[in-house]
Amino acid sequence: MFRRMSNRLAVLPGGAVAALLGSPARAQGFAADPAGSGVLLNAVTWLQGTLLGNVATSLAVIAVGATGLMMLTGRIDWRRGGTVILGCFIIFGAAAIVAGVKSVAGVG
């Protein structure tokens, strides 16, 4: 498939070069949701509201407080305590993280 030239570079056949240099593939647009996805979107929105709502926020505050107290009294090591607190930051900052990744990738 490859042919060696005198300067030791591999050369692709002409058709392969055209295929590799063609226009970049793009994902389908995100503007329109597919038909019938309203039910799934409502379910995911409900799940997001439940996981990031008042109950979840209260539980996270209790978890961070209990973890901090256990870290200060020496009942849990600092590494595991930091993991719990970092996990709370990631869960509640997930929307901002995804927005940042989308803006860097140029999607949406």
Side-chain angles (χ1 to χ4, degrees):
M1 178 173 174
F2 294 104
R3 175 172 58 114
R4 295 271 180 202
M5 294 189 60
S6 62
N7 62 0
R8 297 208 181 273
L9 292 177
V11 178
L12 294 173
V17 172
L20 292 175
L21 296 179
S23 64
R26 293 277 188 198
Q28 293 179 350
F30 292 104
D33 291 330
S37 67
V39 176
L40 293 175
L41 184 61
N42 290 339
V44 172
T45 304
W46 173 83
L47 184 64
Q48 178 185 5
T50 301
L51 293 177
L52 299 176
N54 294 333
V55 174
T57 304
S58 300
L59 289 175
V61 168
I62 292 170
V64 169
T67 302
L69 182 64
M70 288 172 44
M71 286 168 53
L72 289 175
T73 58
R75 294 181 182 195
I76 190 172
D77 59 324
W78 286 86
R79 182 181 226 171
R80 183 161 298 180
T83 304
V84 170
I85 295 171
L86 181 66
C88 289
F89 279 118
I90 290 174
I91 288 172
F92 289 107
I97 293 170
V98 169
V101 169
K102 284 176 69 173
S103 69
V104 168
V107 177

